[in-house]
Amino acid sequence: MTPVSVAPTLLQPGAGAASAAELAKRGEIRETAQKFETQFLSIMLQQMFEGVNVSAPFGGGPGEQMFKSFMTEAMAKQMSQAGGLGLTDQIQREMLKLQGLS
């Protein structure tokens, strides 16, 4: 049986807490970057659908604009979670640099 060795940095007090805090911060930054991309995509899709007119049986009426915005938000969220435009990774990298976590 081979002996198990422990890195000296793990034996220092607070070493695990700092890395856990850093991991939590990285997770928050990732989530924020993905939310930003979702908002960007939502605005882009709203502009794209702005000029689209729907025939009477399937569209129109006072609630169409409200539900169209819900639809574009849902589409943007799905697109972002599926990889989106790649903005999340770039934004995350820049935010990590600003926080000194790169």
Side-chain angles (χ1 to χ4, degrees):
M1 185 156 43
T2 59
V4 177
S5 62
V6 176
T9 56
L10 291 177
L11 299 175
Q12 297 173 353
S19 64
E22 183 179 324
L23 287 175
K25 187 70 168 175
R26 286 178 182 274
E28 290 174 11
I29 287 173
R30 176 75 181 178
E31 184 179 336
T32 302
Q34 190 166 22
K35 284 181 182 178
F36 180 85
E37 183 174 17
T38 300
Q39 277 300 113
F40 178 80
L41 285 169
S42 179
I43 291 169
M44 187 180 77
L45 290 171
Q46 285 175 4
Q47 294 299 313
M48 185 179 80
F49 285 122
E50 191 171 299
V52 176
N53 293 323
V54 183
S55 61
F58 299 108
E64 181 181 4
Q65 287 301 323
M66 180 179 67
F67 288 111
K68 194 180 284 188
S69 69
F70 289 148
M71 181 186 71
T72 56
E73 277 184 44
M75 288 172 65
K77 188 173 184 178
Q78 289 296 316
M79 289 171 67
S80 178
Q81 288 175 349
L85 302 173
L87 294 177
T88 299
D89 294 333
Q90 293 177 4
I91 293 167
Q92 181 183 8
R93 263 193 306 269
E94 291 303 316
M95 289 177 73
L96 286 170
K97 282 182 193 175
L98 291 171
Q99 296 291 321
L101 298 173
S102 60

